[in-house]
Amino acid sequence: MSRVSLQSQQAPAASQPILTQIHQAFGATPNMFKAVANSPAALQSMWAAFGALGGGTLGARLGEQIAVAIANRNRCEYCLAAHTVLGQQAGASAAEMAAAQAGHSDDPRTAAALRFALKVVSERAQVSDGDVAELHEVGFQDEQVVEILAHVALNLYTNYINVALGVPVDFPKVALK
């Protein structure tokens, strides 16, 4: 049970237009957004970040693979479930999403991004020159390195919201590894 109200019709007036956009994007309003809707500022921040990164250069598939790796590391069942579905909608197979959940990929570029993202989480961003160089070696440009960090930050935010607030999972459940 959620530790805060899950808002929809009773959400603050400033949250209503954003909730409408979210509902249109998903065909429903996921519980995470209903929880965040208690704060119009937080909802606007989260939705804008998803939109901005969705238009980035990494692509939806890699963004979702990063998301499941971080969700698994943070033991966020909500984000693991949601991003597994979204990753498959972005073209990743179930096997690729399961591998990403464990921080693995057969693709060297994806594997490097996942290693880096998980190191950022585990080491609280204390990465080395070599860690960034590894991303450059597999073809990531500086823009994409920064986007990987932005994905990490957004996923930490959503993981913390869902875990701290006990948001009920409303996507098909995926077991943590």
Side-chain angles (χ1 to χ4, degrees):
M1 181 156 175
S2 181
R3 294 180 180 119
V4 298
S5 301
L6 298 180
Q7 300 291 337
S8 55
Q9 304 302 328
Q10 301 303 319
S15 292
Q16 291 295 337
I18 301 166
L19 287 172
T20 299
Q21 292 173 19
I22 291 165
H23 189 88
Q24 290 171 343
F26 287 95
T29 305
N31 284 339
M32 177 184 73
F33 294 109
K34 290 178 182 179
V36 177
N38 283 286
S39 166
L43 183 63
Q44 181 180 11
S45 169
M46 182 183 283
W47 188 239
F50 276 117
L53 291 175
T57 62
L58 289 183
R61 182 175 172 166
L62 179 54
E64 299 303 341
Q65 289 171 301
I66 291 169
V68 298
I70 294 170
N72 193 73
R73 178 66 49 92
N74 288 325
R75 307 200 54 75
C76 180
E77 293 176 343
Y78 191 97
C79 288
L80 179 59
H83 291 288
T84 296
V85 168
L86 295 170
Q88 290 174 333
Q89 290 175 352
S93 68
E96 288 171 322
M97 292 309 290
Q101 179 184 346
H104 303 294
S105 175
D106 291 336
D107 174 60
R109 195 168 183 272
T110 301
L114 294 173
R115 275 192 304 278
F116 181 77
L118 289 172
K119 185 167 187 182
V120 168
V121 172
S122 297
E123 302 298 322
R124 296 183 178 175
Q126 299 299 315
V127 297
S128 68
D129 293 346
D131 295 322
V132 175
E134 181 184 357
L135 292 175
H136 289 142
E137 288 168 11
V138 296
F140 288 109
Q141 302 300 312
D142 289 345
E143 177 182 11
Q144 294 162 320
V145 173
V146 174
E147 280 184 31
I148 291 169
L149 289 166
H151 275 276
V152 170
L154 176 57
N155 283 285
L156 287 173
Y157 177 29
T158 61
N159 288 180
Y160 288 4
I161 287 284
N162 289 302
V163 173
L165 299 180
V167 177
V169 178
D170 52 355
F171 288 88
K173 291 198 178 198
V174 176
L176 293 164
K177 292 184 179 186

